[in-house]
């Protein structure tokens, strides 16, 4: 990597928050380049969205599937993103992918081999060629994370990297507007860590919704910390729902069962549809072809929306559909599912379903936030000294709807680019408007970069009101505004995390309308008046911090969704159902989705 030489005695410190793919990889690169690196994670190192990734990492390597090209990967990403991507960021990500796949391999990641000696390449929805690298079949995230964690622990043992687990970042420290460290909770104490710059790699926010594929750590912490420090955010109306999350206990075809909050989520990877599985409704009828020519391999937003619309049409809006994986074994022979998808085979069996013989009940669930903290192509946010990479960031590569398996890749490429920028010694300035990053700025024609300027309570935006928590002192154990029900007077249901999640699913989920969003905004406003999500909870209870972060993120998401009075990508308004991109038709004819063959060349 191109890094400035490190002069002994002048090592600059990078604080990395989060131990998913973006944080682990960035921390390793920075430590190996000689920087003073401190990695914080709020749970154990393995607690991340990354750990649960199944399908894999998309990349066009030196020996791709015949006919596949980097240009085709770029075109697929732009098309899935509904014309809302930052084209330059997409080009960079797809072009530099092979460099970071090699980087992963250097840190010990081993991808599943194909028959020709190179890596096996899977196909996923909206990719025009098989280009998904995977590890351990459907255990890609765990295999990748485990290798990176081993490498991090080795460097910790060797003294080149410091590590704090169970360290819950609660605020960013700023001096003269420049981020100079983080405050975090650990063992009931609030501590401060100083650094020359902070890289937020805190992942997403699936816990905003009642049904999610994300683990418990996905509570929008990084976004909230960044917003409170004045950073711009972008594209928050675009939240992707994965079409096929197992509905436990749903049984055999028939009317749907309501899904509950506490069920353990199990994503059924898109790679299963890539291998040939199809979706059927409760009547056993295959329905996707009626909604999109790509059928089950249409872009993810389309498949989720089609399921929701189809269920509504059948009069069962809270129901589910079925994934038929039996057809895969019929086509590829007995034992194929267990070999290609060992984890899913076991996990579905644990749920009482033998998917070689039975249908799998599935429904959409909150999966991935395309929006986030606005960054440029070097991971810089609009606040000096603050970088962001991975799901917490919005580089614009994911547009209005992320292409499958492009998230792990984004975390790698932009995590590395942020480190390169930090190592070059220039982390001092916010990215200039209108040059290499602020797609939001140029798209909005000079409007403020942040959707946070949308109708939020004044208090929400006030970054100067952090309560003074004494560093090193035990903090109070309870505070107003936590997840315990509190009566905010005048509203209907009092605030709790569970109420928030239910409300977000009902009013800001797969299908939205102006009226639902207005109701959501009203409820959130009433809750915010009591919970005060614009401020840091004066509490040592990490859950209270998460609650405030979730509420702040929900307000920002709903405000952005209210502002966008059109349907685009994953943001679908039933009161304005036409796709606003206007480019989809053009794309469909220019770049037809042809598995294994691309019309483009590098
Ligand atoms: P994460 O992996 O989520 O890591 C965030 C880290 O930050 C965690 O360690 C967390 O504990 C820590 N953290 C959060 N808040 C704080 C705080 N306040 N203080 C300290 N630490 C904090 N994408 C693909 O490209 N391919 C796939 O096959 C794929 N499959 C998926 C399957 C599932 C079930 C899920 C949930 C997601 C999948 N995705 C996939 C999406 C992808 O996994 C994530 O977008 C990606 O892993 C995000 O990486 P990250 O490093 O940005 O964040
Ligand atoms: C999946 O395996 O279906 C998830 C892939 C992704 O989220 O990119």
């Amino acid at each position: 990597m191109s890094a400035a030489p490190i002069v002994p005695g002048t090592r600059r410190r990078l604080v990395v928050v989060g131990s998913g793919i973006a944080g682990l990889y960035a921390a390793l690169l920075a430590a190996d380049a000689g920087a003073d690196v401190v990695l914080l994670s709020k749970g154990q190192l393995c607690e991340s969205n990354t750990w649960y990734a199944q399908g894999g990492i998309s990349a066009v390597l030196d020996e791709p599937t015949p006919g596949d090209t980097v240009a085709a990967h770029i075109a697929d990403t732009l098309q899935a993103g509904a014309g809302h991507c930052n084209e330059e960021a997409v080009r960079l990500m797809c072009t530099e992918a092979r460099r970071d796949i090699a980087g992963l391999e250097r840190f010990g990641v081993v991808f599943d081999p194909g028959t020709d000696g190179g890596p096996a390449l899977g196909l996923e929805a909206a990719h025009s060629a098989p280009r998904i690298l995977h590890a351990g079949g459907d255990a890609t995230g765990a295999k990748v994370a485990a290798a990176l964690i081993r490498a991090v622990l080795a460097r910790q043992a060797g003294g080149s990297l410091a590590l704090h687990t169970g360290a819950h970042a609660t605020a960013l420290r700023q001096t003269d507007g420049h981020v100079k460290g983080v405050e975090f909770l650990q063992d009931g104490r609030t501590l401060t860590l100083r650094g020359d710059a902070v890289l937020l790699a805190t992942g997403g926010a699936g816990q905003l919704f009642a049904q999610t594929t994300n683990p418990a750590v996905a509570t929008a912490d990084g976004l909230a910390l960044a917003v409170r420090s004045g950073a711009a955010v972008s594209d928050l109306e675009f939240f992707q729902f994965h079409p096929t999350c197992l509905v436990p206990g749903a049984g055999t075809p028939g009317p749907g069962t309501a899904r509950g909050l506490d069920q353990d989520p199990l994503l059924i990877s898109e790679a299963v549809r890539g291998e040939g599985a199809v979706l059927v409704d409760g009547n056993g009828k295959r329905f996707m072809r009626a909604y999109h020519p790509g059928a089950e391999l249409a872009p993810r937003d389309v498949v989720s929306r089609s399921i929701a619309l189809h269920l509504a049409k059948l009069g069962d809006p809270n129901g589910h559909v079925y994934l038929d994986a039996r057809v895969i074994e019929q086509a590829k022979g007995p034992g194929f599912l267990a070999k290609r998808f060992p984890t899913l085979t076991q996990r579905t069996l644990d749920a009482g379903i033998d998917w070689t013989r039975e249908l799998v009940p599935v429904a959409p669930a909150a999966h991935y936030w395309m929006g986030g903290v606005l960054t440029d192509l070097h991971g810089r946010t609009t606040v000096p000294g603050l970088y962001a990479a991975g799901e917490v960031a919005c580089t614009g590569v994911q547009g209005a709807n992320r292409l499958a398996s492009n998230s792990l890749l984004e975390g790698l490429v932009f995590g590395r680019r942020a480190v390169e920028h930090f190592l070059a010694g220039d982390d001092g300035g916010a990215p200039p408007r209108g040059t290499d990053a602020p797609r939001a700025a140029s798209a909005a024609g000079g409007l403020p970069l942040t959707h946070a300027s949308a109708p939020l309570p004044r208090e929400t935006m006030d970054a100067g009101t952090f309560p003074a928590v004494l560093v090193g002192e035990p903090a109070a154990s309870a505070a107003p505004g936590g997840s315990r029900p509190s009566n905010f007077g005048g509203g209907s249901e009092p605030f709790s995390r569970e109420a928030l999640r239910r409300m977000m699913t009902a009013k800001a989920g797969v299908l939205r309308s102006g009226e639902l969003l207005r109701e959501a905004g009203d409820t959130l406003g009433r809750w915010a008046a009591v919970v005060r999500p614009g401020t840091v909870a004066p509490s040592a209870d990490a859950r209270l911090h998460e609650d405030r972060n979730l509420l702040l993120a929900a307000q920002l998401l709903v405000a952005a969704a209210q502002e966008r009075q059109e349907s685009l990508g994953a943001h679908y308004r039933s009161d304005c159902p036409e796709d606003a991109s206007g480019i989809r038709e053009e794309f469909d004819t220019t770049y037809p989705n042809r598995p294994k063959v691309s019309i483009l060349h590098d």
Side-chain angles (χ1 to χ4, degrees):
M1 87 166 47
S2 60
I6 307 289
V7 182
T10 63
R11 290 171 77 217
R12 292 164 68 247
R13 174 180 282 178
L14 180 65
V15 178
V16 179
V17 187
S19 60
I21 194 163
L24 291 167
Y25 186 63
L28 285 166
L29 292 174
D32 284 4
D36 175 8
V37 179
V38 187
L39 176 62
L40 301 184
S41 200
K42 70 177 173 180
Q44 298 179 48
L45 290 179
C46 62
E47 290 178 55
S48 65
N49 274 8
T50 298
W51 188 269
Y52 296 93
Q54 295 179 4
I57 308 181
S58 56
V60 177
L61 303 177
D62 292 341
E63 291 182 30
T65 301
D68 194 17
T69 60
V70 170
H73 189 188
I74 293 168
D76 292 346
T77 302
L78 296 175
Q79 183 174 11
H84 192 67
C85 301
N86 175 346
E87 206 164 326
E88 173 143 28
V90 171
R91 198 170 298 286
L92 256 176
M93 179 181 76
C94 297
T95 309
E96 296 187 355
R98 59 187 77 177
R99 190 192 300 189
D100 292 301
I101 294 299
L104 277 186
E105 288 172 335
R106 275 199 303 280
F107 289 129
V109 174
V110 180
F111 291 103
D112 294 338
T115 45
D116 60 356
L121 298 172
L123 178 67
E124 287 183 3
H127 284 272
S128 59
R131 61 169 80 98
I132 317 298
L133 294 113
H134 45 86
D138 51 3
T140 306
K143 294 279 183 195
V144 168
L148 295 180
I149 288 170
R150 273 194 298 277
V152 160
L153 293 175
R155 278 147 186 85
Q156 184 199 22
S160 62
L161 177 155
L163 191 59
H164 294 277
T165 53
H168 191 116
T170 52
L172 295 166
R173 275 282 171 124
Q174 279 170 278
T175 306
D176 298 332
H178 196 296
V179 169
K180 285 288 182 189
V182 292
E183 289 182 7
F184 64 100
L185 285 171
Q186 197 175 34
D187 301 327
R189 293 161 67 86
T190 302
L191 304 167
T192 295
L193 191 59
R194 294 180 204 289
D196 295 293
V198 171
L199 171 63
L200 286 175
T202 48
Q207 296 298 324
L208 278 171
F209 295 92
Q211 284 86 34
T212 178
T213 63
N214 292 190
V217 289
T219 52
D221 296 359
L223 182 99
L225 265 62
V227 167
R228 293 191 197 109
S229 73
V233 291
S234 187
D235 291 0
L236 298 184
E237 64 272 43
F238 302 113
F239 206 108
Q240 181 174 79
F241 290 77
H242 195 289
T244 54
C245 189
L246 176 76
V247 181
T252 47
T257 338
R259 286 166 279 142
L261 272 177
D262 299 322
Q263 290 158 338
D264 193 20
L266 176 61
L267 177 99
I268 310 290
S269 176
E270 204 155 82
V272 179
R273 277 174 281 134
E275 294 289 355
V278 296
L279 289 164
V280 297
D281 63 20
N283 304 314
K285 186 167 169 273
R286 196 172 163 196
F287 59 91
M288 268 310 302
R289 282 202 195 106
Y291 292 88
H292 193 277
E296 284 81 3
L297 293 180
R300 198 172 278 175
D301 59 332
V302 174
V303 180
S304 284
R305 183 156 62 249
S306 303
I307 292 172
L309 290 169
H310 193 68
L311 286 169
K313 200 166 114 189
L314 295 178
D316 190 17
N318 295 319
H320 54 266
V321 296
Y322 295 87
L323 187 70
D324 187 352
R326 301 171 304 182
V327 292
I328 301 179
E329 293 239 323
Q330 282 156 20
K332 303 193 177 186
F336 181 87
L337 284 172
K339 185 154 179 279
R340 173 70 179 87
F341 302 111
T343 313
L344 281 173
T345 299
Q346 188 54 52
R347 292 282 309 271
T348 44
L349 274 176
D350 293 345
I353 300 161
D354 174 357
W355 69 341
T356 65
R357 294 191 303 112
E358 295 170 280
L359 298 175
V360 184
V362 291
H367 185 59
Y368 179 87
W369 208 351
M370 274 71 72
V373 183
L374 184 67
T375 64
D376 69 359
L377 302 177
H378 307 284
R380 283 185 301 175
T381 71
T382 54
V383 173
L386 183 64
Y387 294 92
E391 191 167 340
V392 67
C394 180
T395 59
V397 286
Q398 315 296 3
N401 171 61
R402 173 171 68 85
L403 182 67
S405 288
N406 264 357
S407 172
L408 296 173
L409 181 61
E410 182 191 8
L412 290 172
V413 171
F414 290 97
R416 169 181 50 79
R417 292 181 66 84
V419 168
E420 286 171 347
H421 192 272
F422 171 78
L423 292 172
D426 172 23
D427 55 296
R433 290 181 177 221
T435 55
D436 77 343
R439 183 178 42 88
S442 44
L447 287 175
L449 281 173
T450 172
H451 287 303
S453 59
L456 286 174
R458 162 95 194 89
E459 174 271 307
T460 298
M461 289 309 299
D462 188 351
T465 56
F466 295 160
V469 178
L470 288 177
V471 175
E473 289 292 311
S477 62
S483 63
R484 272 170 236 114
S486 57
N487 191 344
F488 51 80
S492 47
E493 193 174 6
F495 175 76
S496 69
R497 189 183 297 196
E498 293 68 30
L500 173 80
R501 296 177 65 192
R502 274 195 299 271
M503 194 279 291
M504 288 296 285
T505 294
K507 301 190 191 293
V510 181
L511 307 179
R512 300 167 174 174
S513 71
E515 197 184 337
L516 287 174
L517 291 169
R518 189 183 44 73
E519 289 168 10
D522 289 349
T523 304
L524 291 168
R526 283 196 301 274
W527 285 338
V530 174
V531 176
R532 300 179 62 233
T535 59
V536 181
S539 169
D541 183 346
R543 195 171 160 89
L544 296 186
H545 288 268
E546 291 178 347
D547 284 345
R548 286 192 183 198
N549 296 340
L550 284 167
L551 181 51
L552 178 56
Q555 281 193 289
L556 293 166
L557 186 157
V558 167
Q562 281 183 289
E563 224 172 278
R564 187 174 290 282
Q565 294 171 10
E566 61 189 10
S567 291
L568 187 69
H571 172 65
Y572 179 82
R573 300 237 341 202
S574 51
D575 48 355
C576 188
E578 287 305 308
D579 189 319
S581 69
I583 63 138
R584 185 158 264 162
E585 268 178 40
E586 182 199 325
F587 257 107
D588 284 347
T589 48
T590 314
Y591 306 123
N593 213 306
R594 279 192 261 159
K596 299 195 183 181
V597 180
S598 167
I599 56 169
L600 298 171
H601 300 283
D602 290 344

